[in-house]
């Protein structure tokens, strides 16, 4: 559970920008950048915000739809109270079991199929059935995006709000770096700010262990 407070991250960005009173970068604007940072981190690092739950399968169907709050699937781990489930390439099933979408329904799922190009859908083999009363359950790990945080600007100025960041504390620095990137892109007419924005964005990418496109460093704030 995170212990870093949102207001502390915002105050830190203000100090680095030498704008402690929020004249150039108002607190409400920095909070928007904070929420955008969280979304960008989850997009690039799905493991930053995961949910592990038992999922009620749709009986007699190979096709399954992720929960409404899911962004993408990370793994189908096991049958509840049963054997593990392993990922298999769809091409393999298509070649060896061309009728796998019409497989005999079972309480023992063996494999799952998932394609990032269709992030809200996955497939199970064999097709799940129910036990006569309740849906068959499998354990899912999926990525979700935390809801946007709302804090009154007066509470940010006073530093009194105790809301913590919605990701693990290890992402606090990355959030701050993204916010700095956004702050400096507010005035790319300044060569110094353009350099600062580029440096902050690169540091952000390095902290996440991801490669960022160079031209994205100069993106203006939308």
């Amino acid at each position: 559970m995170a212990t870093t407070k949102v207001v502390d991250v915002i105050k830190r960005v203000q100090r680095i920008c030498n704008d402690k009173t929020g004249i150039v970068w108002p607190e409400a604007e920095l909070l928007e950048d904070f929420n955008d940072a969280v979304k960008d981190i989850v997009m690039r690092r799905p493991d930053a915000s995961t949910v592990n739950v038992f999922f009620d399968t749709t009986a007699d169907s190979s096709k399954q739809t992720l929960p409404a709050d899911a962004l993408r699937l990370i793994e189908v781990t096991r049958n509840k109270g049963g054997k593990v489930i392993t990922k298999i390439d769809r091409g393999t099933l298509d070649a060896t079991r061309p009728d796998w979408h019409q497989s005999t329904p079972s309480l023992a799922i063996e494999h799952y199929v998932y394609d990032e190009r269709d992030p809200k859908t996955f497939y199970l083999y064999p097709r799940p059935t129910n036990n006569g009363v309740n849906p068959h359950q499998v354990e899912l790990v999926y990525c979700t995006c935390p809801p946007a945080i709302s804090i009154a600007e007066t509470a940010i100025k006073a530093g009194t709000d105790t809301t913590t960041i919605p990701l693990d504390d290890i992402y606090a620095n990355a959030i701050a770096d993204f916010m700095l990137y956004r702050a400096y892109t507010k005035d790319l007419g300044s060569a110094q700010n353009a350099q600062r924005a580029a440096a902050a964005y690169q540091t952000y990418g390095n902290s996440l262990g991801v490669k960022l496109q160079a031209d994205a460093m100069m993106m203006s704030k939308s």
Side-chain angles (χ1 to χ4, degrees):
M1 181 179 294
T3 59
T4 304
K5 293 187 291 186
V6 175
V7 294
D8 289 343
V9 176
I10 293 175
K11 293 292 185 183
R12 175 184 172 191
V13 170
Q14 287 181 319
R15 288 196 303 271
I16 295 173
C17 291
N18 196 26
D19 185 35
K20 294 182 180 181
T21 56
I23 299 299
V24 180
W25 295 281
E27 285 80 5
E29 183 177 306
L30 292 178
L31 182 60
E32 289 180 2
D33 293 340
F34 174 93
N35 285 318
D36 284 348
V38 171
K39 288 185 287 188
D40 198 78
I41 289 171
V42 171
M43 179 185 71
R44 299 179 188 281
R45 288 290 304 268
D47 58 314
S49 179
T50 60
V51 174
N52 187 319
V53 295
F54 281 108
F55 169 80
D56 291 342
T57 60
T58 300
D60 303 326
S61 175
S62 61
K63 183 178 180 180
Q64 306 289 318
T65 302
L66 287 173
D69 64 333
L71 295 178
R72 66 184 70 177
L73 180 69
I74 294 179
E75 186 179 21
V76 182
T77 307
R78 60 187 172 114
N79 296 275
K80 186 174 183 179
K83 295 181 179 180
V84 300
I85 300 172
T86 58
K87 186 176 183 180
I88 191 170
D89 181 72
R90 188 183 69 184
T92 300
L93 273 180
D94 290 347
T96 60
R97 299 283 191 274
D99 61 345
W100 67 275
H101 288 290
Q102 288 77 44
S103 60
T104 301
S106 172
L107 290 174
I109 309 303
E110 298 176 20
H111 304 296
Y112 74 96
V113 172
Y114 183 65
D115 189 334
E116 291 280 355
R117 295 171 298 182
D118 186 13
K120 301 298 181 71
T121 302
F122 66 102
Y123 295 84
L124 296 175
Y125 174 79
R127 291 185 295 165
T129 187
N130 56 39
N131 61 9
V133 179
N134 300 314
H136 180 62
Q137 292 186 318
V138 296
E139 186 178 45
L140 294 187
V141 181
Y142 63 83
C143 168
T144 187
C145 188
I149 287 174
S150 178
I151 303 174
E153 192 165 12
T154 53
I156 300 175
K157 282 184 177 294
T160 56
D161 190 89
T162 59
T163 304
T164 56
I165 65 175
L167 305 179
D168 193 275
D169 285 327
I170 62 171
Y171 292 102
N173 286 345
I175 292 172
D177 288 327
F178 183 92
M179 293 172 66
L180 286 167
Y181 153 69
R182 278 291 186 84
Y184 291 132
T185 56
K186 189 174 182 178
D187 180 19
L188 287 180
S190 162
Q192 188 176 41
N193 277 349
Q195 293 173 355
R196 287 170 174 169
Y201 198 66
Q202 188 60 52
T203 302
Y204 167 70
N206 291 342
S207 66
L208 295 182
V210 298
K211 181 178 174 60
L212 302 175
Q213 295 181 359
D215 58 356
M217 298 178 188
M218 294 301 137
M219 288 171 53
S220 62
K221 184 176 178 180
S222 58

